[in-house]
Amino acid sequence: MQDLSHFINGARVAGTSGRFAEVFNPATGEVQARVPLASAAELELAVQGAMAAQPKWAATNPQRRARVMMKFVDLLNRDLDKLAEALSREHGKTMPDARGDVIRGLEVAEFCIGAPHLLKGEYTDGAGPAIDMFSMRQPLGVVAGITPFNFPAMIPMWKMCPAIACGNAFILKPSERDPSVPMMLAELMQEAGLPDGVLQVVNGDKEAVDAILDHPDIAAVGFVGSTPIAEYIYARATAHGKRAQCFGGAKNHMIIMPDADLDQAVDALVGAGYGAAGERCMAISVAVPVGDRTADALIERLIPRVESLKIGPYTAGNDVDFGPVVTRAAQERILGLVDSGVHQGAELKVDGRGFRMQGYENGFFVGACLFDRVTPEMDIYREEIFGPVLSTVRAGSYAEALDLTMRNPYGNGTAIFTRDGDTARDFASRVNVGMIGINVPIPVPLAYHTFGGWKKSGFGDLNQHGPDAFRFYTRTKTVTARWPSGIKEGAAFSIPTME
């Protein structure tokens, strides 16, 4: 069994707290590594190193900082399969899905190569008599990111790449469930030319998180995880005067109108509902067919597709549809919620509770489950399941489907499948959700747009990646300059006298 480490001041550093967490192989259920859990003293060491490195990095011109990002992107492409394999081993994702995790982070790093343009300020010539005004975007200093288990490559890069491109030093506290890839990313940054101390990786649990939130020299915190923890981190960080962007849970609805292409909708639901075993904040977990005829036809098509999904470890090949969930506790929680759906009266059309993977009986696998006739009062509707479970809530009309989506406390993503442009425009305009898909099931914006949810899915004023990231990781300084006139008269050759 391997003992993992922290990454501080350009090198792997063994933990000194004496506390560890176990890192599992989700496919086998076996412990494959131990990760150290940092104390407040270990975090302090990382903060001091970051503070020492940041001023020189901030003084490095944006073009040179962008060149580090450019080299980092090259290295990510070089090591893509190596990163994906390490990610799959600890998370359980299929290899194609793990590659996608890395690539969606890589795309943000590519966007950050444009830092010289994105960091330009504004200028007004002649704002008054001999007065000019200009603004500058300057880094915050030392900032931190607390990232989840479900995207151990993508979300750390969503946080650290813009922060570092802006001239900040960054402290990453990744999930202790799959910590190897964030360490590998830090080493690639180092290989790309990032100075020691600009990126620190501190593994830990709540003790490390609270130390980050309370530290007076950490200026901003970004978080992705569950809504209760997002609320906690946002409240505690802002109480200490920090900027915070905290993204929480989701319950993403996909409305299927009577005029939709049902084959296309079924493909979308199967991929968006069951990909990555449902462990995505942008997964579609609620299908909302409009009208019983639409619902009956949808369920009829879904059942054989869901029953035929191929489940297995990442080593089983690229045709595996999804793998295990991340921990035994997650597996038990998902199965418990499926039980509650049955007990509360939903129709379980595909029952994956009895799934066992031959040769991997101790793995954290959950078979695909499909519910019909779910109601908003049921636990499987109210709670974020984060597993391979799709719930169908029937709506009698478009207005009812829209109202269902809008009344849900989460507002991360939503989608509508329709051939009618007027309905699509109305939905996009009115629905109170941050990211909208029109015949697109998982509407995650590309890196040059911004990612963020509304309502209980997002806390803070600015979103992740895109231009918002550069606004979040900098603050604006505005300068008003006036130069006295008269110094341009030229040389005087006679002796000066009092006038």
Side-chain angles (χ1 to χ4, degrees):
M1 183 172 64
Q2 181 185 10
D3 274 354
L4 303 177
S5 60
H6 308 297
F7 187 88
I8 298 175
N9 296 334
R12 292 193 178 231
V13 177
T16 60
S17 70
R19 297 188 308 120
F20 293 86
E22 293 176 329
V23 179
F24 291 88
N25 180 331
T28 64
E30 297 172 339
V31 178
Q32 58 184 333
R34 296 193 313 167
V35 60
L37 302 176
S39 64
E42 288 173 293
L43 176 74
E44 181 64 32
L45 177 66
V47 173
Q48 293 304 317
M51 290 176 64
Q54 191 271 331
K56 185 175 180 180
W57 177 243
T60 302
N61 75 57
Q63 189 171 353
R64 292 188 181 276
R65 296 200 300 261
R67 288 174 184 169
V68 172
M69 277 308 147
M70 197 179 302
K71 179 63 175 176
F72 179 59
V73 168
D74 287 342
L75 297 173
L76 288 170
N77 280 301
R78 182 196 72 186
D79 288 359
L80 177 59
D81 287 343
K82 180 180 176 182
L83 289 161
E85 199 277 334
L87 194 159
S88 294
R89 189 172 57 246
E90 291 184 349
H91 179 278
K93 289 186 182 186
T94 66
M95 280 290 286
D97 198 29
R99 290 189 192 97
D101 190 329
V102 177
I103 290 168
R104 289 308 292 258
L106 179 155
E107 289 169 351
V108 170
E110 285 179 327
F111 177 73
C112 292
I113 294 170
H117 173 71
L118 293 159
L119 292 172
K120 288 190 301 187
E122 299 172 323
Y123 187 90
T124 299
D125 174 53
I131 295 175
D132 302 322
M133 298 184 71
F134 61 95
S135 64
M136 299 180 283
R137 286 201 170 274
Q138 296 191 326
L140 303 178
V142 178
V143 298
I146 301 164
T147 58
F149 75 87
N150 61 325
F151 285 96
M154 181 183 81
I155 295 179
M157 284 191 273
W158 282 12
K159 301 293 187 187
M160 71 189 193
C161 292
I164 289 169
C166 288
N168 300 285
F170 191 83
I171 295 175
L172 173 63
K173 205 301 286 180
S175 172
E176 63 274 25
R177 297 175 190 173
D178 43 14
S180 290
V181 168
M183 299 288 291
M184 296 166 71
L185 295 175
E187 290 177 325
L188 291 182
M189 274 285 195
Q190 206 75 14
E191 187 179 347
L194 192 69
D196 293 353
V198 175
L199 174 59
Q200 315 275 46
V201 181
V202 178
N203 290 298
D205 56 5
K206 188 176 184 297
E207 182 176 342
V209 168
D210 286 346
I212 288 170
L213 299 178
D214 297 344
H215 202 290
D217 294 316
I218 295 177
V221 176
F223 170 81
V224 177
S226 70
T227 287
I229 305 303
E231 289 182 298
Y232 168 79
I233 288 176
Y234 185 77
R236 189 158 177 166
T238 54
H240 285 85
K242 303 184 193 307
R243 284 190 181 183
Q245 52 170 200
C246 300
F247 297 95
K251 199 72 179 179
N252 303 319
H253 296 55
M254 183 176 128
I255 296 173
I256 302 98
M257 296 298 294
D259 67 340
D261 181 328
L262 277 188
D263 291 329
Q264 182 189 46
V266 168
D267 285 341
L269 281 170
V270 170
Y274 300 100
E279 292 179 319
R280 294 170 174 161
C281 68
M282 289 296 285
I284 293 294
S285 55
V286 182
V288 188
V290 174
D292 281 336
R293 181 178 296 180
T294 306
D296 291 342
L298 182 74
I299 292 294
E300 183 182 356
R301 285 171 168 81
L302 275 173
I303 289 173
R305 292 290 303 278
V306 175
E307 289 177 335
S308 66
L309 289 172
K310 184 176 180 180
I311 306 168
Y314 77 92
T315 52
N318 290 344
D319 62 339
V320 172
D321 294 310
F322 67 87
V325 296
V326 71
T327 62
R328 179 79 64 198
Q331 178 192 48
E332 292 172 352
R333 180 180 179 276
I334 294 162
L335 293 173
L337 282 165
V338 174
D339 288 342
S340 78
V342 174
H343 295 151
Q344 292 173 5
E347 296 180 7
L348 186 55
K349 296 294 188 178
V350 179
D351 186 353
R353 290 175 295 179
F355 178 82
R356 297 290 182 274
M357 185 74 204
Q358 186 175 0
Y360 295 87
E361 289 80 6
N362 293 322
F364 310 142
F365 291 95
V366 178
C369 296
L370 172 65
F371 278 103
D372 191 13
R373 300 189 186 277
V374 173
T375 64
E377 297 76 28
M378 295 176 180
D379 291 341
I380 53 171
Y381 178 81
R382 292 187 301 106
E383 296 194 31
E384 183 181 29
I385 300 175
F386 230 56
V389 181
L390 179 63
S391 297
T392 306
V393 181
R394 296 179 176 225
S397 65
Y398 165 69
E400 184 182 332
L402 175 63
D403 182 65
L404 179 75
T405 306
M406 293 184 70
R407 283 189 291 109
N408 193 273
Y410 296 109
N412 209 41
T414 188
I416 187 168
F417 273 62
T418 181
R419 289 185 172 96
D420 183 65
D422 180 60
T423 302
R425 289 185 75 252
D426 182 79
F427 181 75
S429 174
R430 291 171 60 191
V431 72
N432 56 353
V433 174
M435 291 169 283
I436 315 300
I438 297 172
N439 299 316
V440 173
I442 303 181
V444 177
L446 293 176
Y448 43 87
H449 285 268
T450 187
F451 178 108
W454 290 12
K455 298 184 284 189
K456 290 288 186 180
S457 295
F459 304 87
D461 298 325
L462 293 169
N463 291 334
Q464 300 180 98
H465 67 65
D468 265 15
F470 280 77
R471 297 184 186 105
F472 180 77
Y473 289 116
T474 59
R475 53 190 164 194
T476 302
K477 180 183 288 183
T478 304
V479 179
T480 302
R482 182 176 184 179
W483 297 99
S485 59
I487 58 174
K488 57 182 181 293
E489 300 299 329
F493 294 94
S494 58
I495 189 168
T497 59
M498 183 71 69
E499 294 182 1

